[in-house]
Amino acid sequence: MGKTKYMIVSGFLGAGKTTGMLAFLRSVNARYGSAAILANDLGADNIVDADFTAESEVTTDCVAGDCICYQHEALVDKLRRLAGRGADVVFSDIPGCGIGALEHVYLQLRENEGDEFELLPFTCVVDPERLKMLMPEPEELNLPSELRFLLDAQMAEADLIVLNKIDTIDAEQREKCLTLIRTLRPDTPLMAMSARTGEGVDAVTDYVMTHTSKAERRDIGYGSEAFIAAESRLSWYNRRVWFEQREDKSLDFNAVLGEVFERVRASLRAVGGNVPHLKIFASGVGRDYFKASLIGVDYPVEYDRRFENEYAALSVVVNARAAASAAQMGAAVDEAVEAAAEKYNLRARTFFLESFGMTDEGRSNGGRASRIS
């Protein structure tokens, strides 16, 4: 039995990692064999990407509670389980603020499980909008300047950089983005695609399936003052809420969830915060589902899919990665949920909630850290 191929997909918040992994999976399944997705998140549970990949009827699993950088045994166990379910190739992501997985995941796998896994190119997906942070004259994106470090470090870590979302820019803008990446990382292979439309996906898949990672240590500033400064500006928010119509009649939940987006946007603007990635997912009957995201308070909501049917009750997952304090992000979602419930005559019950700043004391070890003075 041959080795299971494994590839990490990194990239900044909102770069399109999940959509990209789904596109790679479909390309592999059509032409190479059987692929699976392993979703990863710092949160404990109730992650949009995990629900969405499951809804997409692909072979999937998840590692939650922390980055896979710090869960080697859990990662290996999940990879073995997916291989046991027939996966020849496994794609996994790391959180959108994450760096360091090349050393903490790839090098550990090579050293400890090298006979089981073949390491495909460590791939960084880049979004044209976020790339503006690294332009010679950076555009104002209402994001803390410290976050530029994370995007630059993610590209420095990569064996392959992929400019995604090329369907959202014209030819001149595409060339400007590619030129900047080549200038910043002249020795790193560079490709372009649109995970949403499929343009360029097969070419990227062909490349990663015929190459392997260099799997060599690189100094990307992991753990440095710049890294800590960047992480200190971010917070995580995950929530599952049950909406139920008080009069037991069906209504358009596309409007309800659109209201939540707009309320969060307004609340964060009011306090000078931003949300590099806000995602909402809800599953209806059959293959009817809602998935949408927001990559900043100044951007339009991106709808992957809206409901075709109306519902009387619905379970909704909200994930936010914010350039704001955990308290500000929590208050914004609280207000949005309450306002939407009142406007549409809904009961709103929360079944899961977690909110934390990236550098909050006690956040490590899943918030179970203790101290004796």
Side-chain angles (χ1 to χ4, degrees):
M1 183 175 179
K3 295 183 180 180
T4 302
K5 297 179 184 292
Y6 175 59
M7 187 176 94
I8 287 179
V9 180
S10 76
F12 198 78
L13 298 160
K17 296 188 295 297
T18 302
T19 309
M21 289 193 298
L22 283 167
F24 297 147
L25 177 143
R26 295 186 182 108
S27 182
V28 168
N29 285 351
R31 301 178 304 124
Y32 285 98
S34 178
I37 289 176
L38 182 62
N40 176 226
D41 196 84
L42 302 180
D45 205 348
N46 292 281
I47 307 304
V48 165
D49 292 343
D51 279 19
F52 175 50
T53 51
E55 182 68 29
S56 302
E57 297 185 342
V58 302
T59 303
T60 184
D61 208 331
C62 67
V63 175
D66 211 336
C67 179
I68 54 176
C69 295
Y70 315 115
Q71 301 192 75
H72 186 77
E73 291 184 3
L75 168 65
V76 171
D77 177 65
K78 296 290 188 178
L79 291 176
R80 287 170 176 164
R81 288 173 182 267
L82 289 170
R85 293 165 61 184
D88 305 304
V89 185
V90 178
F91 299 107
S92 77
D93 61 346
I94 57 174
C97 63
I99 61 173
L102 178 63
E103 179 171 350
H104 291 90
V105 178
Y106 265 30
L107 295 189
Q108 284 195 47
L109 285 172
R110 185 186 66 182
E111 180 177 347
N112 300 318
E113 289 85 22
D115 58 337
E116 290 186 67
F117 304 107
E118 178 182 337
L119 303 176
L120 302 184
F122 193 106
T123 301
C124 177
V125 176
V126 179
D127 167 23
E129 283 299 314
R130 306 308 192 194
L131 194 59
K132 293 176 180 178
M133 291 192 293
L134 301 180
M135 292 290 181
E137 297 181 359
E139 293 190 28
E140 180 53 60
L141 301 180
N142 288 324
L143 291 174
S145 60
E146 292 89 344
L147 299 188
R148 298 173 188 169
F149 165 81
L150 295 175
L151 176 55
D152 186 56
Q154 287 168 344
M155 291 196 293
E157 191 171 29
D159 295 308
L160 171 68
I161 299 172
V162 178
L163 177 66
N164 190 25
K165 302 186 181 181
I166 57 174
D167 57 305
T168 65
I169 54 178
D170 60 28
E172 181 179 352
Q173 292 171 314
R174 182 190 303 191
E175 189 52 42
K176 184 178 180 180
C177 290
L178 293 172
T179 298
L180 174 62
I181 297 171
R182 291 189 190 103
T183 301
L184 294 172
R185 299 294 159 198
D187 298 325
T188 305
L190 172 63
M191 304 183 77
M193 72 175 193
S194 167
R196 180 165 295 179
T197 68
E199 181 183 356
V201 169
D202 283 349
V204 176
T205 303
D206 289 340
Y207 180 91
V208 300
M209 291 295 291
T210 54
H211 291 75
T212 57
S213 174
K214 294 180 181 178
E216 58 186 14
R217 284 185 172 83
R218 297 172 193 166
D219 182 8
I220 59 172
Y222 182 80
S224 65
E225 290 185 5
F227 172 74
I228 295 170
E231 290 221 319
S232 71
R233 303 304 299 269
L234 293 168
S235 65
W236 240 237
Y237 185 93
N238 299 317
R239 182 172 183 170
R240 184 180 291 273
V241 58
W242 174 260
F243 284 113
E244 185 176 15
Q245 227 290 328
R246 292 180 182 275
E247 299 177 11
D248 195 27
K249 65 179 183 180
S250 296
L251 74 157
D252 179 11
F253 267 92
N254 294 314
V256 175
L257 300 180
E259 180 80 12
V260 171
F261 273 109
E262 295 309 320
R263 291 280 184 170
V264 170
R265 184 202 303 272
S267 293
L268 288 177
R269 274 181 173 159
V271 298
N274 207 333
V275 57
H277 210 188
L278 170 66
K279 297 180 281 186
I280 294 181
F281 178 83
S283 181
V285 175
R287 299 197 65 186
D288 190 25
Y289 67 85
F290 176 100
K291 182 177 183 288
S293 60
L294 184 67
I295 64 168
V297 295
D298 299 318
Y299 293 87
V301 177
E302 298 179 4
Y303 291 94
D304 291 81
R305 183 182 290 190
R306 305 183 200 219
F307 285 123
E308 297 178 359
N309 302 304
E310 295 186 343
Y311 295 93
L314 208 63
S315 178
V316 179
V317 179
V318 180
N319 296 158
R321 288 58 180 117
S325 71
Q328 289 172 330
M329 190 66 233
V333 181
D334 284 346
E335 191 278 333
V337 168
E338 291 167 7
E342 181 177 357
K343 180 175 181 178
Y344 292 95
N345 195 28
L346 299 165
R347 297 184 186 90
R349 290 182 288 169
T350 296
F351 286 88
F352 177 90
L353 173 63
E354 64 177 349
S355 179
F356 54 84
M358 287 299 300
T359 55
D360 281 354
E361 186 176 6
R363 190 196 71 79
S364 61
N365 193 29
R368 298 184 295 274
S370 303
R371 179 177 64 196
I372 296 176
S373 297

